[in-house]
Amino acid sequence: MKVKEPKFRCGTEKAIKELVAKYDYPYADWMQDWPYEIAESKEIENYFQHYNEQTDEDKKFSLMEMLIQALTDIEDPNEYDKNWNRLRLKIIEDFEIHEYTIFYWSCFGQSISDCWKVTPNMRDLWIDIKEKRNV
């Protein structure tokens, strides 16, 4: 499937530093994949709660990256499914903020076997959203 790559977006330094302060997580300028390196599956409930309190799009963006990584680290299939369904609703609600992130995790052009656990969910969601919006 050929998919047009959306405009690139990444977390801002301000949003990352605010999350570092809130969760007392490590951070250094060389941590290119910061949200993926520090996210903890046991904190997913806190991430959801903090996400729900946000109005700042940059913080929502970085929190979504943390949520996705935390989700991929959940081993229990029932817990994974429960949290995927919650995450899916947040993505649909704020798709304009997270479009590039969802594209990234969808790994279009790669075999599913070479991707993350969440990739099939992301691909299905991407297609559902794009077809409904005719974009």
Side-chain angles (χ1 to χ4, degrees):
M1 164 190 294
K2 181 72 173 155
V3 177
K4 183 180 177 206
E5 183 172 339
K7 183 179 176 190
F8 176 78
R9 184 173 185 169
C10 63
T12 64
E13 183 177 12
K14 179 180 183 281
I16 289 170
K17 287 187 174 177
E18 288 175 12
L19 292 168
V20 164
K22 174 161 181 63
Y23 292 103
D24 195 28
Y25 284 149
Y27 176 75
D29 290 339
W30 55 264
M31 295 173 81
Q32 175 180 324
D33 295 328
W34 178 82
Y36 311 128
E37 293 176 32
I38 54 81
E40 300 177 41
S41 60
K42 67 181 182 178
E43 293 294 326
I44 198 164
E45 190 60 43
N46 290 327
Y47 300 157
F48 273 117
Q49 182 178 346
H50 195 58
Y51 186 95
N52 291 337
E53 297 166 353
Q54 295 311 304
T55 56
D56 182 275
E57 288 187 6
D58 290 330
K59 275 182 83 173
K60 282 186 167 189
F61 180 88
S62 291
L63 275 163
M64 181 57 69
E65 290 182 318
M66 292 168 62
L67 277 160
I68 295 168
Q69 183 62 53
L71 177 69
T72 65
D73 293 339
I74 293 175
E75 294 183 20
D76 178 86
N78 293 326
E79 274 301 301
Y80 176 90
D81 289 343
K82 176 186 90 170
N83 284 292
W84 163 251
N85 288 325
R86 294 172 67 198
L87 186 69
R88 183 181 186 282
L89 294 174
K90 298 294 171 204
I91 292 169
I92 291 168
E93 181 180 307
D94 291 329
F95 183 73
E96 288 74 22
I97 298 169
H98 306 301
E99 183 176 12
Y100 186 82
T101 301
I102 305 319
F103 174 84
Y104 172 82
W105 284 89
S106 293
C107 300
F108 291 113
Q110 297 180 36
S111 169
I112 289 287
S113 62
D114 295 332
C115 299
W116 299 286
K117 176 170 48 174
V118 73
T119 296
N121 301 103
M122 291 295 184
R123 285 184 184 181
D124 290 344
L125 181 57
W126 177 271
I127 292 164
D128 288 347
I129 291 172
K130 290 297 191 170
E131 284 180 1
K132 286 179 183 165
R133 296 178 185 201
N134 289 325
V135 289

